[in-house]
Amino acid sequence: MLTGITIVFLGGDARQVEVINKCVELDATVRVVGFDRLETPLKGVSQETLSPGLLAGADVIILPVIGCDDHGVVPAPFSAEQLVIKREWFASVRKSTLVYTGIAKSFLKQMGDEHSFRIIEVLERDDVAIYNSIPTAEGAIMMAIQNTDITIHGSTCMVLGIGRTGFTLAGTLQGLGANVRVGVRREDDVARAVQMGWKPFATRDLAANVGDVDLIFNTIPTMIVTAQIISKLPRTAVIIDLASAPGGTDFRFAEKRGVKAILAPGIPGIVAPKTAGIIMANTICQSILDEYQLRGDEQ
C-alpha cells in the first residue's frame, strides 16, 4: 500500500489516468494538475494548480511519458491551459522526492543534477520495454494494413534492429505468414534470427536487400533509411519508422520519390492507452513500494 505517500501528477495522457487510478487504489494521497478537461472526472484525487508549494509537498512527482521539453512545458492534453514548470520552481523539489517519467530530456536531467533529486526513467527498464513492445508491434501492423493494398501473409517484411521492439515485431509478422528479413549488427543477433526462422543480413548491406520489399519497419534511432536506400525501394513499398523522433528515415526524399513513409513513435499510448497505462501503473507503483521499503530497511 502507498498509504501516507503524497503523489503529485503533472499532466499526461490516457496512460497517466491508469497510473492515477492505481495510486488511488493503493491509498496514496493523490494530487493532480492538468486534468480539468477529462470527460470522466477522476475520483479520490484533489485537483491542484501548479506551484512551488505543491512541488515541495510531494513525496513522488509523476510526469508524462516524455516528461517536459527544454522550456519546462509538460504535455497536458486534458487541460485547458498550458502546463509549464518554471525553472526556478525545481528548487522546491526535495532531495528525497522521487521523480518519475518515461524518458527524461536534457532539461529535466539538468534540473535533477542541479537540485539533487532523483529521476527514474520508466521506459529505460527492460521489463517495461518488453511489455510495451506488444502494443507497439500490434500498432505497427495495424498501420501497415491501413497503408497497403496487400496482406501481411505472403508479403516481404523487413525489420531493422531486433532489440526488444524489433524482436517482438518480427515474431508477430512471422506468425501472420510474412517473409521476414531482419537487419542486424552483431553476430549473436544473426544466430538468434536464424534460430527464429528469419533471414538476417548486416545493416551495412541494407541497400542490397531492399529491392523487393513490401514493408520496412525501422526501430533504429539513427539515420539508416537514407535517400540511397529509398531510391532502391519499389515505389509501392511502405516504411513505418518506430524510432523516437526524428526517426531513422529520410522522410523528405521519401515524399519526393513517392514512397509512403510514416513516423510512428509512441504507438502504445496511441493504439492501446489502457494497456500501456496499466504497464506503467504496475511498474511505477511497485517501484515506489520498493524504494520506500529500501528506505525503511536502511533506517
Side-chain angles (χ1 to χ4, degrees), residues 113-175:
D113 290 340
E114 284 186 14
H115 302 291
S116 302
F117 58 79
R118 185 175 167 200
I119 299 170
I120 300 174
E121 298 177 87
V122 178
L123 293 186
E124 291 296 314
R125 291 177 49 136
D126 282 338
D127 56 346
V128 174
I130 291 168
Y131 284 132
N132 268 334
S133 73
I134 299 169
T136 298
E138 291 186 7
I141 291 170
M142 178 192 74
M143 290 182 177
I145 292 170
Q146 291 173 337
N147 288 279
T148 58
D149 56 5
I150 59 173
T151 59
I152 298 296
H153 187 280
S155 66
T156 298
C157 294
M158 179 177 287
V159 178
L160 300 179
I162 55 169
R164 295 162 298 196
T165 297
F167 190 87
T168 299
L169 179 56
T172 306
L173 289 166
Q174 181 184 43

Side-chain angles (χ1 to χ4, degrees), residues 15-16 32 48 97 136 144 148 167-168 179 202 205 212-213 226 248:
R15 289 170 288 184
Q16 202 80 323
V32 303
E48 304 282 349
T97 298
T136 298
T148 58
F167 190 87
T168 299
N179 301 305
D205 298 327
D212 61 346
V213 298
T226 61

